[in-house]
Amino acid sequence: MRRGFAVFVACLLLVTGAGAFGAPAVDSSAATPSESGTSGPAEPSGVTLVTDLESAADDGGTDDRPVGGSGLRSVASDAALGGGNASVAGVVNGTDSDGDGLADAEENTTGTDPFVADTDGDGLDDERELALDADPTDPDTDGDGISDGRAVELGISPADHDADADGLNDTRELDLETDPLRGDTDDDSLTDGQELDAGTDPTDPDTDGDGLRDGWEVSDETPAGAPLPESDPLSADLYVQLDRAEGVAAPEEGFYERLRTTFAEMPVENPDGTTGIALHVDSGGINESVTFTGDNFWALKDSYYESRLGPRAGVYHQVLLAEFQSEKVGYGEVGGTFSVVAARTDAGTRRHVVVHELLHNVVGPVEVEGACPDDPKHYCEGGWLTPRIIPGEDEYLPEPLAAQLESQQFRAG
């Protein structure tokens, strides 16, 4: 109280003195009389006169407060003193210290670092990760072995370990070179996961190369409804409709069995480790006479192939037993699905010709050493595809032709 009174007296004397000399007070610590006296109260400059000193003292004045102290501390001062857990800028709405698109206050909520744009170091800024439903504090949100940033580069989701829901982890798909964004990479009607279960190749729609998609063979039917009984996606199958014109006698069952055995014994290696081609034959008759003249092959195909096969067209091969007005005994589409065979021959010759023409269908042009120089449709070093047919001779498939079949799909036009 005594100190307050002394301060009051000192201030009173100072103001009185200033008024007596007629000069305004310029500063509380350096007031000097003016050279020319004036009358009236002085106007203070740069200092505020406190008129209620006792009240000011009661409102917080202390002996140990630093001179000039305002009584307010900045957040920076609090931080420097260790006060509180808030970041300096985090308490200021809209401030984004690291420029990652997230306000610092939001980063305090999400647990990310407001001073590091990519908290988890995965190559994606924190805001970008939240937009992708990824965890900005975990470099591999979905735990698939691919960092979130790398996942975005690859075009897959960083937040889902199986982005295409095909049953395969994204990392596994990258190892298999399948598409992690497409459930059925090769578009064969089986998901990539189903293909691994079946043992087929998820990057090849026709694992065994027989011209039938894996999904068709697993379901024993094409999408159009063509039946594929006993088909195997890991072993080659060949489906044939053998039709006979009116007046042509039906072959005996032994004829069909020998055909099946002939194809089963061919040295074509299959993905399941077996060899041979499974031949499936349907037979039927056409209620009209048919004659091959030597120059009406395509007309016969136009007349009978699709009309007889219906939804099986394009999948099944057709062999038409007909009368021939030609010195030839057979004519087959090279890399196609249609053949005509002379009906008026013995069973051995007929079997040989049917095998020969069906091989023309599935082999296509001969592309290996041994092809006839002036006739690449035929193979001149023996076997079923020689230009001249001698029943009982050369009834085998040469290894080079078997290798060609293994390396390509069955040709069908």
Short mmCIF file of all heavy atoms in Angstrom, two decimals, residues 152-215:
data_model
loop_
_atom_site.label_atom_id
_atom_site.label_comp_id
_atom_site.label_asym_id
_atom_site.label_seq_id
_atom_site.Cartn_x
_atom_site.Cartn_y
_atom_site.Cartn_z
N VAL A 152 -0.77 -47.75 -56.02
CA VAL A 152 -1.37 -46.72 -56.87
C VAL A 152 -0.67 -46.67 -58.22
O VAL A 152 -1.30 -46.53 -59.27
CB VAL A 152 -1.34 -45.35 -56.17
CG1 VAL A 152 -1.76 -44.24 -57.12
CG2 VAL A 152 -2.26 -45.37 -54.94
N GLU A 153 0.67 -46.79 -58.22
CA GLU A 153 1.42 -46.80 -59.49
C GLU A 153 0.98 -47.96 -60.37
O GLU A 153 0.91 -47.83 -61.60
CB GLU A 153 2.91 -46.90 -59.21
CG GLU A 153 3.53 -45.65 -58.60
CD GLU A 153 5.01 -45.85 -58.29
OE1 GLU A 153 5.53 -46.96 -58.57
OE2 GLU A 153 5.63 -44.91 -57.78
N LEU A 154 0.67 -49.10 -59.75
CA LEU A 154 0.28 -50.29 -60.50
C LEU A 154 -1.20 -50.27 -60.89
O LEU A 154 -1.66 -51.14 -61.61
CB LEU A 154 0.57 -51.55 -59.68
CG LEU A 154 2.05 -51.83 -59.40
CD1 LEU A 154 2.18 -52.95 -58.37
CD2 LEU A 154 2.78 -52.19 -60.67
N GLY A 155 -1.92 -49.28 -60.37
CA GLY A 155 -3.33 -49.18 -60.69
C GLY A 155 -4.22 -50.06 -59.86
O GLY A 155 -5.35 -50.37 -60.25
N ILE A 156 -3.75 -50.51 -58.69
CA ILE A 156 -4.56 -51.34 -57.81
C ILE A 156 -4.88 -50.58 -56.54
O ILE A 156 -4.26 -49.57 -56.22
CB ILE A 156 -3.87 -52.68 -57.48
CG1 ILE A 156 -2.54 -52.43 -56.76
CG2 ILE A 156 -3.65 -53.48 -58.74
CD1 ILE A 156 -1.82 -53.72 -56.39
N SER A 157 -5.83 -51.08 -55.80
CA SER A 157 -6.27 -50.40 -54.58
C SER A 157 -5.27 -50.64 -53.46
O SER A 157 -4.91 -51.78 -53.17
CB SER A 157 -7.64 -50.91 -54.14
OG SER A 157 -7.97 -50.43 -52.86
N PRO A 158 -4.84 -49.56 -52.77
CA PRO A 158 -3.93 -49.76 -51.63
C PRO A 158 -4.66 -50.24 -50.39
O PRO A 158 -4.02 -50.61 -49.41
CB PRO A 158 -3.35 -48.35 -51.43
CG PRO A 158 -4.41 -47.43 -51.89
CD PRO A 158 -5.08 -48.14 -53.06
N ALA A 159 -6.00 -50.22 -50.42
CA ALA A 159 -6.78 -50.55 -49.23
C ALA A 159 -7.45 -51.91 -49.31
O ALA A 159 -8.15 -52.32 -48.40
CB ALA A 159 -7.84 -49.47 -49.00
N ASP A 160 -7.24 -52.66 -50.41
CA ASP A 160 -7.89 -53.96 -50.58
C ASP A 160 -6.86 -54.94 -51.13
O ASP A 160 -6.35 -54.76 -52.24
CB ASP A 160 -9.07 -53.82 -51.54
CG ASP A 160 -9.91 -55.09 -51.63
OD1 ASP A 160 -9.43 -56.14 -51.15
OD2 ASP A 160 -11.02 -55.04 -52.17
N HIS A 161 -6.55 -55.98 -50.39
CA HIS A 161 -5.50 -56.91 -50.83
C HIS A 161 -5.91 -57.73 -52.03
O HIS A 161 -5.08 -58.30 -52.72
CB HIS A 161 -5.10 -57.85 -49.68
CG HIS A 161 -6.14 -58.88 -49.34
ND1 HIS A 161 -7.22 -58.61 -48.54
CD2 HIS A 161 -6.27 -60.18 -49.72
CE1 HIS A 161 -7.96 -59.69 -48.42
NE2 HIS A 161 -7.42 -60.65 -49.13
N ASP A 162 -7.21 -57.80 -52.34
CA ASP A 162 -7.70 -58.51 -53.53
C ASP A 162 -8.65 -57.57 -54.27
O ASP A 162 -9.87 -57.66 -54.15
CB ASP A 162 -8.40 -59.80 -53.13
CG ASP A 162 -8.89 -60.61 -54.33
OD1 ASP A 162 -8.52 -60.26 -55.47
OD2 ASP A 162 -9.63 -61.60 -54.13
N ALA A 163 -8.08 -56.66 -55.03
CA ALA A 163 -8.87 -55.58 -55.63
C ALA A 163 -9.95 -56.08 -56.57
O ALA A 163 -11.01 -55.47 -56.68
CB ALA A 163 -7.94 -54.61 -56.37
N ASP A 164 -9.72 -57.21 -57.28
CA ASP A 164 -10.71 -57.69 -58.25
C ASP A 164 -11.55 -58.85 -57.72
O ASP A 164 -12.34 -59.43 -58.46
CB ASP A 164 -10.03 -58.09 -59.56
CG ASP A 164 -8.93 -59.13 -59.36
OD1 ASP A 164 -8.79 -59.66 -58.24
OD2 ASP A 164 -8.18 -59.40 -60.32
N ALA A 165 -11.38 -59.18 -56.44
CA ALA A 165 -12.21 -60.19 -55.78
C ALA A 165 -12.20 -61.54 -56.51
O ALA A 165 -13.23 -62.21 -56.61
CB ALA A 165 -13.64 -59.68 -55.63
N ASP A 166 -11.03 -61.94 -57.02
CA ASP A 166 -10.94 -63.22 -57.71
C ASP A 166 -10.33 -64.32 -56.84
O ASP A 166 -10.06 -65.42 -57.31
CB ASP A 166 -10.12 -63.08 -59.01
CG ASP A 166 -8.68 -62.65 -58.75
OD1 ASP A 166 -8.31 -62.42 -57.59
OD2 ASP A 166 -7.92 -62.52 -59.74
N GLY A 167 -10.12 -64.00 -55.56
CA GLY A 167 -9.57 -64.99 -54.65
C GLY A 167 -8.07 -65.02 -54.58
O GLY A 167 -7.51 -65.85 -53.87
N LEU A 168 -7.41 -64.12 -55.31
CA LEU A 168 -5.95 -64.07 -55.30
C LEU A 168 -5.47 -62.75 -54.72
O LEU A 168 -5.94 -61.68 -55.13
CB LEU A 168 -5.38 -64.24 -56.72
CG LEU A 168 -5.63 -65.57 -57.42
CD1 LEU A 168 -4.96 -65.56 -58.79
CD2 LEU A 168 -5.09 -66.74 -56.59
N ASN A 169 -4.52 -62.81 -53.80
CA ASN A 169 -3.88 -61.63 -53.27
C ASN A 169 -3.20 -60.85 -54.39
O ASN A 169 -2.67 -61.44 -55.33
CB ASN A 169 -2.84 -62.09 -52.22
CG ASN A 169 -2.16 -60.96 -51.53
OD1 ASN A 169 -1.33 -60.27 -52.13
ND2 ASN A 169 -2.44 -60.78 -50.26
N ASP A 170 -3.25 -59.52 -54.32
CA ASP A 170 -2.67 -58.71 -55.39
C ASP A 170 -1.20 -59.04 -55.63
O ASP A 170 -0.74 -59.05 -56.77
CB ASP A 170 -2.81 -57.21 -55.04
CG ASP A 170 -4.26 -56.76 -55.08
OD1 ASP A 170 -5.09 -57.45 -55.70
OD2 ASP A 170 -4.56 -55.71 -54.48
N THR A 171 -0.45 -59.29 -54.56
CA THR A 171 0.95 -59.66 -54.72
C THR A 171 1.09 -60.94 -55.53
O THR A 171 1.95 -61.05 -56.40
CB THR A 171 1.62 -59.85 -53.34
OG1 THR A 171 1.42 -58.68 -52.55
CG2 THR A 171 3.11 -60.10 -53.49
N ARG A 172 0.23 -61.91 -55.23
CA ARG A 172 0.25 -63.17 -55.97
C ARG A 172 -0.06 -62.93 -57.44
O ARG A 172 0.55 -63.55 -58.33
CB ARG A 172 -0.78 -64.11 -55.35
CG ARG A 172 -0.91 -65.47 -56.05
CD ARG A 172 0.29 -66.33 -55.79
NE ARG A 172 0.07 -67.69 -56.21
CZ ARG A 172 0.97 -68.42 -56.86
NH1 ARG A 172 2.16 -67.93 -57.14
NH2 ARG A 172 0.70 -69.66 -57.21
N GLU A 173 -0.99 -62.04 -57.71
CA GLU A 173 -1.34 -61.75 -59.10
C GLU A 173 -0.17 -61.13 -59.86
O GLU A 173 0.08 -61.45 -61.03
CB GLU A 173 -2.56 -60.82 -59.16
CG GLU A 173 -3.81 -61.46 -58.58
CD GLU A 173 -5.03 -61.18 -59.42
OE1 GLU A 173 -4.97 -61.32 -60.65
OE2 GLU A 173 -6.06 -60.84 -58.83
N LEU A 174 0.56 -60.26 -59.19
CA LEU A 174 1.73 -59.66 -59.85
C LEU A 174 2.78 -60.72 -60.14
O LEU A 174 3.42 -60.69 -61.18
CB LEU A 174 2.31 -58.54 -58.98
CG LEU A 174 1.40 -57.32 -58.78
CD1 LEU A 174 2.05 -56.32 -57.84
CD2 LEU A 174 1.08 -56.66 -60.11
N ASP A 175 2.94 -61.67 -59.23
CA ASP A 175 3.89 -62.77 -59.46
C ASP A 175 3.46 -63.63 -60.64
O ASP A 175 4.28 -64.11 -61.43
CB ASP A 175 4.02 -63.64 -58.21
CG ASP A 175 4.73 -62.93 -57.06
OD1 ASP A 175 5.43 -61.93 -57.33
OD2 ASP A 175 4.56 -63.35 -55.91
N LEU A 176 2.15 -63.84 -60.76
CA LEU A 176 1.61 -64.69 -61.84
C LEU A 176 1.45 -63.93 -63.15
O LEU A 176 1.10 -64.52 -64.17
CB LEU A 176 0.24 -65.24 -61.42
CG LEU A 176 0.22 -66.24 -60.26
CD1 LEU A 176 -1.21 -66.48 -59.82
CD2 LEU A 176 0.89 -67.54 -60.67
N GLU A 177 1.65 -62.61 -63.10
CA GLU A 177 1.45 -61.73 -64.26
C GLU A 177 0.00 -61.72 -64.71
O GLU A 177 -0.31 -61.54 -65.89
CB GLU A 177 2.39 -62.10 -65.41
CG GLU A 177 3.87 -61.95 -65.06
CD GLU A 177 4.79 -62.22 -66.22
OE1 GLU A 177 4.31 -62.64 -67.28
OE2 GLU A 177 6.00 -62.01 -66.07
N THR A 178 -0.92 -61.93 -63.75
CA THR A 178 -2.33 -61.74 -64.02
C THR A 178 -2.68 -60.28 -63.71
O THR A 178 -1.90 -59.55 -63.11
CB THR A 178 -3.19 -62.68 -63.17
OG1 THR A 178 -2.84 -62.52 -61.78
CG2 THR A 178 -2.97 -64.12 -63.57
N ASP A 179 -3.87 -59.88 -64.12
CA ASP A 179 -4.30 -58.50 -63.92
C ASP A 179 -5.01 -58.38 -62.58
O ASP A 179 -6.10 -58.96 -62.40
CB ASP A 179 -5.25 -58.09 -65.05
CG ASP A 179 -5.59 -56.61 -65.02
OD1 ASP A 179 -5.44 -55.98 -63.96
OD2 ASP A 179 -6.02 -56.08 -66.06
N PRO A 180 -4.43 -57.65 -61.60
CA PRO A 180 -5.06 -57.56 -60.28
C PRO A 180 -6.35 -56.75 -60.27
O PRO A 180 -7.02 -56.67 -59.25
CB PRO A 180 -3.98 -56.90 -59.42
CG PRO A 180 -3.14 -56.14 -60.38
CD PRO A 180 -3.15 -56.92 -61.65
N LEU A 181 -6.68 -56.13 -61.39
CA LEU A 181 -7.92 -55.36 -61.48
C LEU A 181 -8.99 -56.06 -62.31
O LEU A 181 -10.08 -55.54 -62.49
CB LEU A 181 -7.64 -53.97 -62.08
CG LEU A 181 -6.78 -53.04 -61.21
CD1 LEU A 181 -6.52 -51.74 -61.93
CD2 LEU A 181 -7.44 -52.79 -59.87
N ARG A 182 -8.66 -57.25 -62.84
CA ARG A 182 -9.63 -58.04 -63.62
C ARG A 182 -9.73 -59.42 -63.00
O ARG A 182 -8.74 -60.15 -62.92
CB ARG A 182 -9.23 -58.16 -65.08
CG ARG A 182 -9.25 -56.86 -65.87
CD ARG A 182 -8.89 -57.10 -67.33
NE ARG A 182 -9.82 -58.01 -67.96
CZ ARG A 182 -9.61 -58.60 -69.14
NH1 ARG A 182 -8.46 -58.38 -69.78
NH2 ARG A 182 -10.50 -59.40 -69.67
N GLY A 183 -10.92 -59.80 -62.60
CA GLY A 183 -11.08 -61.10 -61.96
C GLY A 183 -10.77 -62.25 -62.89
O GLY A 183 -10.33 -63.31 -62.45
N ASP A 184 -11.00 -62.05 -64.19
CA ASP A 184 -10.73 -63.10 -65.19
C ASP A 184 -9.77 -62.52 -66.23
O ASP A 184 -10.17 -61.98 -67.25
CB ASP A 184 -12.05 -63.53 -65.85
CG ASP A 184 -11.85 -64.62 -66.91
OD1 ASP A 184 -10.73 -65.14 -67.03
OD2 ASP A 184 -12.83 -64.94 -67.61
N THR A 185 -8.49 -62.64 -65.95
CA THR A 185 -7.47 -61.99 -66.77
C THR A 185 -7.55 -62.40 -68.23
O THR A 185 -7.45 -61.56 -69.13
CB THR A 185 -6.06 -62.31 -66.22
OG1 THR A 185 -5.93 -61.74 -64.90
CG2 THR A 185 -4.97 -61.73 -67.11
N ASP A 186 -7.72 -63.70 -68.50
CA ASP A 186 -7.69 -64.18 -69.89
C ASP A 186 -9.07 -64.32 -70.53
O ASP A 186 -9.19 -64.81 -71.65
CB ASP A 186 -6.92 -65.50 -69.99
CG ASP A 186 -7.49 -66.58 -69.07
OD1 ASP A 186 -8.60 -66.38 -68.53
OD2 ASP A 186 -6.83 -67.62 -68.90
N ASP A 187 -10.11 -63.91 -69.79
CA ASP A 187 -11.47 -63.89 -70.34
C ASP A 187 -11.92 -65.26 -70.85
O ASP A 187 -12.47 -65.38 -71.94
CB ASP A 187 -11.55 -62.85 -71.47
CG ASP A 187 -12.98 -62.49 -71.83
OD1 ASP A 187 -13.85 -62.58 -70.94
OD2 ASP A 187 -13.24 -62.14 -73.00
N ASP A 188 -11.70 -66.28 -70.02
CA ASP A 188 -12.10 -67.64 -70.42
C ASP A 188 -13.26 -68.17 -69.59
O ASP A 188 -13.55 -69.36 -69.61
CB ASP A 188 -10.92 -68.59 -70.33
CG ASP A 188 -10.39 -68.74 -68.90
OD1 ASP A 188 -10.90 -68.04 -67.99
OD2 ASP A 188 -9.46 -69.54 -68.69
N SER A 189 -13.92 -67.27 -68.86
CA SER A 189 -15.09 -67.61 -68.04
C SER A 189 -14.73 -68.28 -66.72
O SER A 189 -15.62 -68.78 -66.02
CB SER A 189 -16.09 -68.50 -68.80
OG SER A 189 -16.54 -67.83 -69.97
N LEU A 190 -13.45 -68.26 -66.35
CA LEU A 190 -13.00 -68.70 -65.04
C LEU A 190 -12.24 -67.56 -64.37
O LEU A 190 -11.41 -66.92 -65.02
CB LEU A 190 -12.08 -69.92 -65.14
CG LEU A 190 -12.65 -71.24 -65.65
CD1 LEU A 190 -11.53 -72.29 -65.75
CD2 LEU A 190 -13.77 -71.75 -64.74
N THR A 191 -12.52 -67.31 -63.09
CA THR A 191 -11.73 -66.30 -62.39
C THR A 191 -10.30 -66.81 -62.24
O THR A 191 -10.04 -68.02 -62.32
CB THR A 191 -12.30 -65.99 -61.01
OG1 THR A 191 -12.13 -67.14 -60.16
CG2 THR A 191 -13.76 -65.60 -61.08
N ASP A 192 -9.39 -65.89 -62.02
CA ASP A 192 -7.99 -66.29 -61.86
C ASP A 192 -7.82 -67.27 -60.71
O ASP A 192 -7.05 -68.23 -60.79
CB ASP A 192 -7.12 -65.06 -61.63
CG ASP A 192 -7.15 -64.10 -62.83
OD1 ASP A 192 -7.53 -64.54 -63.93
OD2 ASP A 192 -6.78 -62.93 -62.65
N GLY A 193 -8.56 -67.05 -59.63
CA GLY A 193 -8.49 -67.98 -58.50
C GLY A 193 -9.01 -69.36 -58.87
O GLY A 193 -8.43 -70.38 -58.48
N GLN A 194 -10.11 -69.42 -59.63
CA GLN A 194 -10.65 -70.70 -60.06
C GLN A 194 -9.66 -71.44 -60.96
O GLN A 194 -9.57 -72.67 -60.91
CB GLN A 194 -11.97 -70.48 -60.81
CG GLN A 194 -13.13 -70.08 -59.92
CD GLN A 194 -14.38 -69.74 -60.73
OE1 GLN A 194 -14.30 -69.20 -61.83
NE2 GLN A 194 -15.54 -70.07 -60.19
N GLU A 195 -8.94 -70.69 -61.76
CA GLU A 195 -7.96 -71.34 -62.65
C GLU A 195 -6.84 -72.01 -61.87
O GLU A 195 -6.40 -73.11 -62.20
CB GLU A 195 -7.39 -70.32 -63.63
CG GLU A 195 -8.43 -69.70 -64.55
CD GLU A 195 -8.02 -69.71 -66.00
OE1 GLU A 195 -7.45 -70.70 -66.48
OE2 GLU A 195 -8.27 -68.68 -66.66
N LEU A 196 -6.38 -71.34 -60.82
CA LEU A 196 -5.34 -71.97 -60.01
C LEU A 196 -5.87 -73.23 -59.35
O LEU A 196 -5.15 -74.23 -59.24
CB LEU A 196 -4.83 -70.99 -58.95
CG LEU A 196 -3.99 -69.82 -59.45
CD1 LEU A 196 -3.31 -69.13 -58.27
CD2 LEU A 196 -2.93 -70.26 -60.45
N ASP A 197 -7.13 -73.20 -58.91
CA ASP A 197 -7.73 -74.40 -58.32
C ASP A 197 -7.84 -75.53 -59.34
O ASP A 197 -7.67 -76.70 -59.00
CB ASP A 197 -9.12 -74.07 -57.76
CG ASP A 197 -9.07 -73.15 -56.55
OD1 ASP A 197 -8.00 -73.08 -55.91
OD2 ASP A 197 -10.09 -72.51 -56.25
N ALA A 198 -8.14 -75.17 -60.59
CA ALA A 198 -8.32 -76.18 -61.64
C ALA A 198 -6.99 -76.63 -62.26
O ALA A 198 -6.95 -77.62 -62.99
CB ALA A 198 -9.23 -75.65 -62.74
N GLY A 199 -5.93 -75.87 -61.99
CA GLY A 199 -4.63 -76.20 -62.58
C GLY A 199 -4.41 -75.60 -63.95
O GLY A 199 -3.41 -75.90 -64.60
N THR A 200 -5.34 -74.76 -64.40
CA THR A 200 -5.19 -74.13 -65.71
C THR A 200 -4.39 -72.83 -65.60
O THR A 200 -4.12 -72.34 -64.51
CB THR A 200 -6.58 -73.84 -66.33
OG1 THR A 200 -7.36 -73.07 -65.40
CG2 THR A 200 -7.30 -75.13 -66.64
N ASP A 201 -4.03 -72.29 -66.74
CA ASP A 201 -3.21 -71.08 -66.80
C ASP A 201 -4.12 -69.85 -66.82
O ASP A 201 -4.87 -69.66 -67.79
CB ASP A 201 -2.33 -71.11 -68.05
CG ASP A 201 -1.36 -69.94 -68.13
OD1 ASP A 201 -1.51 -68.96 -67.37
OD2 ASP A 201 -0.44 -70.01 -68.97
N PRO A 202 -4.07 -68.99 -65.78
CA PRO A 202 -4.98 -67.83 -65.76
C PRO A 202 -4.63 -66.75 -66.77
O PRO A 202 -5.38 -65.80 -66.94
CB PRO A 202 -4.83 -67.31 -64.33
CG PRO A 202 -3.47 -67.75 -63.90
CD PRO A 202 -3.26 -69.08 -64.56
N THR A 203 -3.51 -66.91 -67.46
CA THR A 203 -3.14 -65.94 -68.51
C THR A 203 -3.35 -66.50 -69.91
O THR A 203 -3.06 -65.82 -70.89
CB THR A 203 -1.67 -65.51 -68.36
OG1 THR A 203 -0.80 -66.63 -68.60
CG2 THR A 203 -1.40 -64.96 -66.97
N ASP A 204 -3.86 -67.73 -70.01
CA ASP A 204 -4.10 -68.37 -71.31
C ASP A 204 -5.53 -68.89 -71.33
O ASP A 204 -5.88 -69.77 -70.54
CB ASP A 204 -3.12 -69.53 -71.51
CG ASP A 204 -3.22 -70.16 -72.90
OD1 ASP A 204 -4.22 -69.91 -73.60
OD2 ASP A 204 -2.30 -70.91 -73.27
N PRO A 205 -6.38 -68.37 -72.20
CA PRO A 205 -7.78 -68.81 -72.19
C PRO A 205 -7.98 -70.26 -72.60
O PRO A 205 -9.03 -70.84 -72.32
CB PRO A 205 -8.45 -67.87 -73.20
CG PRO A 205 -7.35 -67.41 -74.10
CD PRO A 205 -6.13 -67.34 -73.23
N ASP A 206 -6.96 -70.85 -73.24
CA ASP A 206 -7.07 -72.24 -73.70
C ASP A 206 -5.78 -72.96 -73.32
O ASP A 206 -4.87 -73.11 -74.12
CB ASP A 206 -7.31 -72.27 -75.22
CG ASP A 206 -7.45 -73.68 -75.76
OD1 ASP A 206 -7.59 -74.62 -74.96
OD2 ASP A 206 -7.38 -73.83 -77.00
N THR A 207 -5.72 -73.41 -72.08
CA THR A 207 -4.49 -73.96 -71.53
C THR A 207 -3.96 -75.14 -72.34
O THR A 207 -2.75 -75.26 -72.56
CB THR A 207 -4.70 -74.39 -70.06
OG1 THR A 207 -5.07 -73.23 -69.28
CG2 THR A 207 -3.44 -75.01 -69.47
N ASP A 208 -4.84 -76.03 -72.80
CA ASP A 208 -4.37 -77.22 -73.53
C ASP A 208 -4.32 -77.01 -75.03
O ASP A 208 -3.94 -77.92 -75.78
CB ASP A 208 -5.22 -78.44 -73.18
CG ASP A 208 -6.71 -78.25 -73.48
OD1 ASP A 208 -7.07 -77.25 -74.13
OD2 ASP A 208 -7.52 -79.09 -73.04
N GLY A 209 -4.70 -75.82 -75.52
CA GLY A 209 -4.52 -75.50 -76.93
C GLY A 209 -5.41 -76.25 -77.89
O GLY A 209 -5.08 -76.38 -79.08
N ASP A 210 -6.57 -76.72 -77.43
CA ASP A 210 -7.44 -77.49 -78.33
C ASP A 210 -8.55 -76.65 -78.95
O ASP A 210 -9.47 -77.19 -79.57
CB ASP A 210 -8.04 -78.69 -77.60
CG ASP A 210 -8.86 -78.29 -76.37
OD1 ASP A 210 -9.02 -77.07 -76.12
OD2 ASP A 210 -9.31 -79.20 -75.64
N GLY A 211 -8.45 -75.31 -78.79
CA GLY A 211 -9.44 -74.44 -79.39
C GLY A 211 -10.68 -74.25 -78.55
O GLY A 211 -11.62 -73.56 -78.96
N LEU A 212 -10.70 -74.82 -77.34
CA LEU A 212 -11.85 -74.71 -76.44
C LEU A 212 -11.39 -73.96 -75.19
O LEU A 212 -10.42 -74.34 -74.54
CB LEU A 212 -12.36 -76.10 -76.05
CG LEU A 212 -12.71 -77.03 -77.21
CD1 LEU A 212 -13.01 -78.43 -76.69
CD2 LEU A 212 -13.90 -76.48 -77.99
N ARG A 213 -12.11 -72.90 -74.84
CA ARG A 213 -11.73 -72.11 -73.67
C ARG A 213 -11.85 -72.93 -72.39
O ARG A 213 -12.72 -73.79 -72.26
CB ARG A 213 -12.58 -70.84 -73.58
CG ARG A 213 -12.25 -69.84 -74.69
CD ARG A 213 -13.05 -68.56 -74.56
NE ARG A 213 -12.63 -67.61 -75.58
CZ ARG A 213 -11.71 -66.67 -75.41
NH1 ARG A 213 -11.11 -66.55 -74.24
NH2 ARG A 213 -11.39 -65.84 -76.38
N ASP A 214 -10.97 -72.62 -71.45
CA ASP A 214 -10.92 -73.40 -70.21
C ASP A 214 -12.26 -73.41 -69.49
O ASP A 214 -12.68 -74.46 -68.97
CB ASP A 214 -9.84 -72.82 -69.28
CG ASP A 214 -8.44 -72.97 -69.86
OD1 ASP A 214 -8.23 -73.84 -70.72
OD2 ASP A 214 -7.55 -72.21 -69.45
N GLY A 215 -12.91 -72.26 -69.43
CA GLY A 215 -14.19 -72.20 -68.73
C GLY A 215 -15.23 -73.09 -69.37
O GLY A 215 -16.07 -73.68 -68.68
#
